[in-house]
Amino acid sequence: ITAEDLAKETVKNIKETDKKINAWITVDEDAKPAENLDFNKNKLAGIPIAIKDNIITNGMKTTAASHILYNYMPVYDATVISKLKKAQATFVGKTNMDEFAMGSSTEHSYYGETHNPWNLDKVPGGSSGGSAAAVASGEVVAALGSDTGGSIRQPAAFNGIFGIKPTYGRVSRWGLIAFGSSLDQIGVMSKRVKDSAEVLNVIAGPDEHDATVSEQEVPDYTSFLGQDVKGLRVAVPKEYMDAVDGEMREVIQKQIDVLKDAGAIINEVSLPHTKYVVPTYYIVASSEASSNLQRYDGIRYGYRAKDTKNLLDVYVKSRSEGFGDEVKRRIMLGSFALSAGAYDEFFKKAAQVRTLICRDFEKIFEENDVIVGPTTTEPAFGIGEEISDPIKMYNNDILTISANLAGIPAASVPAGLVDGMPAGLQIMAKRFDEGNVFKVADFIERNN
Ligand code: GLN
C-alpha cells in the first residue's frame, strides 16, 4: 500500500466508522502524505496521525470544540505540528474534545458527544476523548492529545489504549490553545506503547517560541522498550489503592504482582495530600483559564454576536452565546478565586497546597524510580450519567491531576477489563524521566 492510498483509506474508514463514534470535528477529505517521503530517515513518514482540535493547524479549522471558535482558521502551525510535518506524518483532521479541554467525558463539545468504541452508550472519557476513540476504533495509529489534569490518561484508560503526558516543559505548548498554562502539556495516545515513543521522539525538545520548554536532551524513547524491570523500585501509594475496590482493585493489583514477579521492588508509600488535590487543581486551573480565555472577546477571533448596541455589548453577548456552560462555570470560579477579596483564601492557599503536593512526590522519588496505581477509580461511565453533577465529574480526576500539579511525566497503559470495560494502570516518574515510564508501560504491555 502506498502512502497516498493509506491516506485515502484512512479518510474513507473515518467517514464510515465515525457515523457511530463522532471522534472527529474536522476530516480533511483530500488528506495527502508529504512529498518525497524518506522512509529510512522518518519513522512516521506517511503515517496518518489525529490531532486534538485545541492544537493550531495552519489552514485547517481549529475550534477547541467551542462555538466561540466555530470559524477560526489558523495562519500558523503549533510547534508540534511543524515538527510532525518535518517528520513527514500525514494529517487527516482534528478530533473532538470537551470545550477548551474542560471536562472528563467529551460531552461538553459544541459538536456533540463522542461515543466509546467499546460500548457506544459509554463516554470515551475526556477531554481528549475524540483522540482516544479515534485510536481505539482503529481509525488512526496515533493521536495527539493535551493533558491539564488527566485528559490524555483518563480517556486512554477508558478506551483500552496507551497515553502519555510528558513532563511539563518536555513538549512545546506554542500553538496549544491555552487552558491552565502551568499545567497544560501535549502528549501522545496509541494502541502500542512503541508508537507513542516514536511520536514523542519527534515532538519533544526545545522551541524558541516557548520559554518553558527545557533544553535538556531528548533521549530516544524506543531505547527504553524491551527491557526487564529487575531491581526497579516501584512505589504504590496507599491513597491510590484505597480509592479503588472490587474488580478495579484486582486488575491493578494483578499488574503490580506482574512487576513484583519480574523482580521489581514494590514499596507501599503515602501521598498524604491526595485528599486536597481536587479542590487545589480546580482553583489553579480555573484561575488560569479565566485569564487565558479573556482573549475571546468577539473582536479578535471567531464568533461575534449580532444586534449589539456598543462595544461592551459585543463582549458580553459574544461570550454569553459563544461559551458553553462548563466553560462559563470555570471562568466564574477562576475570576472569583483571583478577586481581591478571595485571593488570599483561595488562589494563594491553592498555590501553597500545590507546593506540599510537589514535596510528597519529591520524597517518594528519593527512594523510588516509578509510582504505579490505578488511572481512574472506575471504568467509563454512561453518556448523560454525570453531566448534570459537575462536582462528581471533578472528583473523578483525583488520581490524575497530581501529576500535572507536580509537572511530572505520567502515562496510562491497559491493565485489563472491569465490568467488560477497559481499565488503566497509571505510571509516574521523576521530571524528565519519561524513559522509566516507557520501560514499565512496555513491560506491562508485553506481559498482558
Ligand atoms: N477533567 C479535568 C478538567 O476538567 C482535566 C482536563 C484536562 O486535562 N484538560 O479540568
Side-chain angles (χ1 to χ4, degrees):
I1 183 163
T2 65
E4 281 82 11
D5 289 343
L6 181 59
K8 279 203 193 98
E9 279 303 312
T10 302
V11 170
K12 208 173 116 199
N13 182 35
I14 290 172
K15 299 240 108 175
E16 196 46 45
T17 312
D18 227 39
K19 286 178 192 151
K20 292 199 187 105
I21 310 273
N22 193 33
W24 301 74
I25 291 176
T26 301
V27 179
D28 179 3
E29 311 248 344
D30 309 314
K32 277 183 200 57
E35 275 161 35
N36 303 319
L37 294 178
D38 184 343
F39 294 106
N40 292 325
K41 188 167 146 246
N42 297 318
K43 292 266 168 49
L44 303 182
I47 304 290
I49 291 182
I51 309 294
K52 187 177 180 179
D53 206 25
N54 60 348
I55 299 173
I56 299 286
T57 43
N58 193 359
M60 195 186 274
K61 202 176 68 159
T62 300
T63 72
S66 182
H67 185 36
I68 214 157
L69 286 174
Y70 78 108
N71 60 355
Y72 176 52
M73 187 64 84
V75 292
Y76 69 99
D77 277 321
T79 297
V80 291
I81 301 296
S82 314
K83 290 190 178 204
L84 284 171
K85 279 190 178 165
K86 229 171 117 199
Q88 301 187 309
T90 300
F91 297 89
V92 286
K94 309 294 290 287
T95 52
N96 201 9
M97 53 183 282
D98 287 297
E99 183 179 359
F100 284 106
M102 297 171 188
S104 313
S105 66
T106 316
E107 292 171 291
H108 298 293
S109 166
Y110 182 64
Y111 298 91
E113 72 263 5
T114 296
H115 298 258
N116 190 312
W118 290 72
N119 176 343
L120 298 176
D121 297 327
K122 305 270 186 187
V123 302
S127 63
S128 314
S131 286
V135 170
S137 64
E139 292 175 333
V140 285
V141 175
L144 293 190
S146 70
D147 191 312
T148 304
S151 277
I152 287 175
R153 290 159 286 154
Q154 184 253 28
F158 281 10
N159 287 274
I161 63 171
F162 175 77
I164 180 162
K165 175 201 92 73
T167 307
Y168 183 81
R170 183 72 292 185
V171 175
S172 170
R173 289 178 294 115
W174 168 259
L176 170 66
I177 293 178
F179 166 11
S181 305
S182 77
L183 305 155
D184 297 342
Q185 192 65 193
I186 293 172
V188 200
M189 311 161 93
S190 58
K191 276 193 190 167
R192 299 273 79 85
V193 173
K194 181 169 189 287
D195 294 322
S196 284
E198 297 284 10
V199 176
L200 190 59
N201 277 348
V202 169
I203 65 170
D207 175 20
E208 57 176 355
H209 295 305
D210 179 355
T212 62
V213 184
S214 167
E215 299 281 329
Q216 202 163 314
E217 206 184 316
V218 181
D220 174 2
Y221 293 114
T222 63
S223 71
F224 298 95
L225 311 178
Q227 300 195 6
D228 67 40
V229 294
K230 195 181 265 154
L232 195 77
R233 299 165 305 169
V234 177
V236 180
K238 66 171 191 298
E239 291 81 1
Y240 281 37
M241 292 309 280
D242 287 347
V244 292
D245 53 18
E247 249 189 298
M248 180 64 92
R249 197 179 167 113
E250 281 167 30
V251 159
I252 299 302
Q253 189 57 50
K254 204 183 121 211
Q255 299 305 332
I256 296 168
D257 293 342
V258 166
L259 296 171
K260 190 174 175 188
D261 293 344
I265 303 153
I266 311 292
N267 298 317
E268 194 194 80
V269 297
S270 174
L271 286 166
H273 294 93
T274 300
K275 56 179 178 290
Y276 303 119
V277 301
V278 173
T280 302
Y281 166 84
Y282 277 92
I283 288 171
V284 172
S286 302
S287 299
E288 293 182 9
S290 72
S291 168
N292 278 325
L293 270 54
Q294 283 182 56
R295 71 191 72 174
Y296 306 103
D297 54 8
I299 305 289
R300 284 173 286 191
Y301 303 89
Y303 180 75
R304 181 180 302 175
K306 295 182 188 60
D307 304 323
T308 46
K309 291 192 281 298
N310 52 42
L311 186 61
L312 184 65
D313 210 29
V314 174
Y315 295 160
V316 172
K317 263 193 149 167
S318 300
R319 287 170 69 86
S320 301
E321 293 167 11
F323 288 135
D325 288 349
E326 183 59 28
V327 173
K328 286 178 188 161
R329 192 163 19 242
R330 309 280 180 118
I331 293 173
M332 286 189 279
L333 174 61
S335 305
F336 171 74
L338 291 174
S339 63
Y343 183 90
D344 283 346
E345 211 180 324
F346 290 90
F347 186 79
K348 199 169 155 204
K349 269 274 159 14
Q352 287 167 335
V353 178
R354 183 178 187 175
T355 302
L356 297 176
I357 292 163
C358 291
R359 284 189 196 152
D360 284 355
F361 281 106
E362 277 162 24
K363 218 175 119 204
I364 291 177
F365 287 127
E366 276 168 18
E367 283 163 8
N368 293 279
D369 302 304
V370 293
I371 297 175
V372 305
T375 306
T376 61
T377 54
E378 311 266 0
F381 46 89
I383 290 177
E385 223 170 79
E386 301 196 2
I387 186 99
S388 55
D389 188 348
I391 301 292
K392 189 164 180 209
M393 193 84 95
Y394 296 172
N395 279 325
N396 287 335
D397 298 335
I398 182 153
L399 304 175
T400 49
I401 54 195
S402 298
N404 302 76
L405 289 167
I408 59 176
S412 181
V413 68
L417 297 181
V418 172
D419 290 333
M421 291 298 285
L425 180 78
Q426 186 170 207
I427 307 157
M428 300 181 251
K430 276 196 266 307
R431 287 172 58 76
F432 298 102
D433 193 13
E434 282 78 5
N436 264 325
V437 175
F438 276 112
K439 184 175 171 174
V440 174
D442 167 69
F443 188 86
I444 295 289
E445 181 178 271
R446 277 183 290 124
N447 287 278
N448 246 334

